[in-house]
Amino acid sequence: VFLGSDEGGLILTALSDSVPWGLYVSFLVFWVGVAAAGIMFGVAAYVFRDKEFMKVAVLGETLAVAALIIVFTLILVDVGQPIRALILIPQLPNIRSMFIWDFIVLTTYLILNLVAIVASIHYYRQDKAIPWKFLIPFIIIAAPFAIGIHTVTAFIFQALTARPIWN
């Protein structure tokens, strides 16, 4: 419907004013935080090897996947039209773009959460503990990415202009 339009994104949704813009960004940051908490919840369960806690950890990981899907949807809204995201792909990798870093970190984090869910369910169904030879590399990789999604979000905020009320 909007493919012929020259406007898009936050302009199209009338979120270019200070208050609606702040609500949108607050919503995005909230879901990024929920996503980070999901895998850290699982990492804590795996490190302490609490059997009952590990049964619930898969719910945290599933919540992280759902939160990441919401975050990706919000990013598509910010871009304006999904077709614009495809226009950006030939420019990859533009390491000076925070959009690219956000995409890389969030996509990797989504993949890590999906791997954690599959592994948790696989070993839970066999009533076995997840082996350390899987857990140690997974934790070493997943924990920095959980921190990384917040770091990239902070870099994006740093690049924003000051807005009344919100900044």
Side-chain angles (χ1 to χ4, degrees), residues 48 105 146 152:
F48 295 116
V105 171
V152 171

Side-chain angles (χ1 to χ4, degrees), residues 53 72 76 130 137:
F53 192 28
F72 280 117
L76 276 178
I130 299 175

Side-chain angles (χ1 to χ4, degrees), residues 62-137:
T62 306
L63 178 65
V65 168
L68 286 168
I69 291 169
I70 292 170
V71 168
F72 280 117
T73 304
L74 289 169
I75 290 171
L76 276 178
V77 168
D78 191 30
V79 170
Q81 300 171 10
I83 197 75
R84 287 189 180 155
L86 295 175
I87 293 169
L88 293 172
I89 289 174
Q91 300 173 10
L92 295 178
N94 180 1
I95 60 171
R96 293 185 296 169
S97 170
M98 276 296 118
F99 178 78
I100 299 304
W101 284 107
D102 199 27
F103 182 77
I104 290 169
V105 171
L106 289 171
T107 303
T108 306
Y109 194 64
L110 177 63
I111 292 167
L112 286 170
N113 275 288
L114 291 171
V115 167
I117 290 170
V118 169
S120 297
I121 291 173
H122 173 73
Y123 286 104
Y124 177 74
R125 293 178 87 196
Q126 295 179 357
D127 199 29
K128 295 181 182 177
I130 299 175
W132 280 110
K133 68 180 184 178
F134 171 79
L135 280 179
I136 298 297

Side-chain angles (χ1 to χ4, degrees), residues 36-55:
I39 196 107
M40 293 311 288
F41 189 76
V43 166
Y46 302 139
V47 167
F48 295 116
R49 293 293 217 167
D50 186 330
K51 203 138 174 81
E52 297 301 315
F53 192 28
M54 289 173 79
K55 291 178 182 177

